[in-house]
Amino acid sequence: MNDQAARPAARPAREFVVEADGGSRGNPGPAGYGAVVLDAATGETLVETAEYLGVVTNNVAEYRGLLAGLRAAKELDPDAGVRVRMDSKLVVEQMSGRWKIKHPDMKPLAAEAARVFPPGRVTYEWIPRADNKHADRLANEAMDAGARGEQWSPSESTAELDAAATGGVGSRAAADTDVRAAKAVASPGWGPPDMGAPATFVLLRHGETPLTPQKRFSGSGGSDPSLSAVGREQAEKVAASLARRGTIEAIVASPLARTRETAGIVAARLGLEVAIEEGLRETDFGAWEGLTFGEVRERHPDDLDAWLASPDAEPTGGGESFAATGARIAATRDKLVAAYAGRTVLLVSHVTPIKTFLQLALGAPPESLFRMELSAASLSAVAYYADGGASVRLFNETSHLR
């Protein structure tokens, strides 16, 4: 007998797809991850896993989701090949070796993920968020469980709701996400009537400075420009509009010159004093201060790419990350909500802080900051209720400038 013929055929290598996601409501804030292991050949869901993590950043939660997915795949078959699919450009590029890992919280997580399978057995692919709904749903379930003081566990009722709403497995995540979104949007308007009047923040971006029409980075660490003639005219127009409405009860402003000047013009028209709040200042853009986006792209392309991909990335020269800005704004929000409960307050601030107020109120991901247009001297508004709910009432209103 031929020994070669008698030897059993080698088992074909099994292949899994791992889809993972993580999220943080506040960044840093209450966070969780979700991961799913699929059979690459059939698309069958083999494992679902999720966990509430407490207060961590969005990127840490994403790495924890990756780790959980890889470990679940290894438990199924330690000899398998794995295709990781995630909507985090940062994690995909870092784990593929194309981007450096600088953040101290992520380095050990990335190193641990790289050790789960031998080198070469795992590949990474970026996918749009819309294609990662299964893992996203699990991550949100984990965060919802954490908000109730529980840890995540598979829910039959959720699965039945998904199946009934969609008629199949493929669109389960979309149905659950829609149900959660409907609850989140409806709750402030349908809340109990005895919560009292909300604290309402009318968010005013300062008027134009000489840097505004040139679209230059102008944060806390730059030249601190004053308003231009156009900016002062804009402030007068918004002051007249707010005076006609007659709803503003207090004014709080960032300490920078352009916001103090805008607030002063409005305060003079309304007969109010201006309180200064350090937490409302603009992000510090480090070495990018005074530069256009194109100039930053030419001089610091790698740093700009990292900044666009991750809220934890800092501008060149030790500026402030969006994650740090988010934590600062969340703390400022809580402080001001407590101080002005039931009142309508004008907060005179800047592009990034105002966008962050809106992002946090909506529970939107950090990348939503890049998808909002906020004009000079525009008005937005958010109401905060006693039960912790928030309702966005207005966004980028500029009719008073016409």
Side-chain angles (χ1 to χ4, degrees):
M1 179 181 288
N2 187 307
D3 290 342
Q4 184 69 25
R7 185 176 302 144
R11 184 182 64 175
R14 195 173 183 187
E15 186 176 29
F16 298 130
V17 173
V18 168
E19 295 177 350
D21 199 10
S24 174
R25 295 170 179 171
N27 201 34
Y33 69 74
V36 56
V37 182
L38 308 171
D39 187 294
T42 66
E44 178 189 1
T45 297
L46 304 175
V47 177
E48 288 183 329
T49 184
E51 183 181 2
Y52 174 66
L53 300 173
V55 176
V56 300
T57 67
N58 187 67
N59 292 138
V60 167
E62 288 170 335
Y63 264 106
R64 291 287 300 274
L66 169 63
L67 258 173
L70 290 173
R71 287 168 173 162
K74 186 174 183 179
E75 286 186 13
L76 290 174
D77 188 344
D79 298 321
V82 178
R83 287 189 285 128
V84 173
R85 294 157 43 92
M86 297 181 69
D87 61 57
S88 170
K89 183 76 168 175
L90 179 80
V91 174
V92 168
E93 294 297 317
Q94 288 181 340
M95 292 303 299
S96 299
R98 291 185 289 269
W99 288 2
K100 291 182 179 179
I101 304 172
K102 299 179 181 179
H103 198 284
D105 291 342
M106 290 188 282
K107 283 183 178 180
L109 293 172
E112 195 172 353
R115 291 193 296 267
V116 176
F117 282 93
R121 292 248 295 277
V122 182
T123 60
Y124 290 85
E125 174 190 356
W126 177 84
I127 57 174
R129 178 174 291 274
D131 293 344
N132 202 29
K133 288 182 177 178
H134 194 158
D136 174 72
R137 171 175 64 84
L138 295 172
N140 277 284
E141 285 181 5
M143 287 184 276
D144 291 343
R148 299 191 301 268
E150 305 169 359
Q151 276 293 349
W152 177 86
S153 62
S155 169
E156 291 183 9
S157 60
T158 298
E160 289 168 359
L161 173 63
D162 291 339
T166 65
V169 175
S171 52
R172 283 171 47 187
D176 192 55
T177 299
D178 290 344
V179 170
R180 269 201 323 274
K183 289 180 179 177
V185 171
S187 58
W190 293 94
D194 58 353
M195 285 194 294
T200 301
F201 294 167
V202 178
L203 305 164
L204 169 62
R205 184 190 171 194
H206 60 80
E208 282 191 12
T209 75
L211 299 181
T212 306
Q214 301 175 31
K215 296 187 180 299
R216 296 185 178 275
F217 283 92
S218 182
S220 293
S223 59
D224 194 15
S226 298
L227 297 181
S228 64
V230 170
R232 288 190 289 274
E233 181 181 355
Q234 290 172 333
E236 293 285 358
K237 288 181 176 180
V238 76
S241 176
L242 291 172
R244 286 193 297 271
R245 299 182 193 188
T247 56
I248 301 299
E249 299 172 81
I251 301 176
V252 183
S254 151
L256 300 183
R258 53 198 183 272
T259 39
R260 286 189 287 106
E261 189 173 358
T262 301
I265 291 171
V266 176
R269 185 66 176 264
L270 301 185
L272 297 171
E273 298 294 324
V274 178
I276 300 300
E277 171 53 56
E278 175 67 24
L280 294 177
R281 62 180 171 79
E282 179 59 288
T283 299
D284 183 346
F285 294 112
W288 303 351
E289 295 278 358
L291 302 180
T292 65
F293 187 90
E295 289 169 342
V296 175
R297 170 67 71 191
E298 289 176 3
R299 301 180 193 185
H300 310 287
D302 292 341
D303 289 349
L304 182 62
D305 285 342
W307 182 73
L308 292 172
S310 170
D312 292 305
E314 297 177 350
T316 308
E320 187 179 21
S321 70
F322 280 159
T325 300
R328 167 164 59 83
I329 295 303
T332 301
R333 173 203 61 198
D334 294 345
K335 173 183 174 181
L336 294 177
V337 166
Y340 294 99
R343 303 171 70 188
T344 299
V345 185
L346 182 70
L347 305 186
V348 188
S349 189
H350 310 263
V351 170
T352 312
I354 292 174
K355 287 183 178 182
T356 302
F357 272 106
L358 295 164
Q359 176 235 327
L360 294 174
L362 293 169
E367 54 263 33
S368 64
L369 296 176
F370 295 114
R371 299 170 186 166
M372 300 183 206
E373 180 70 25
L374 202 67
S375 304
S378 64
L379 291 168
S380 302
V382 182
Y384 297 92
Y385 293 84
D387 66 350
S391 175
V392 174
R393 302 290 183 85
L394 188 69
F395 173 66
N396 199 36
E397 170 61 43
T398 58
S399 61
H400 51 274
L401 301 179
R402 294 196 287 270

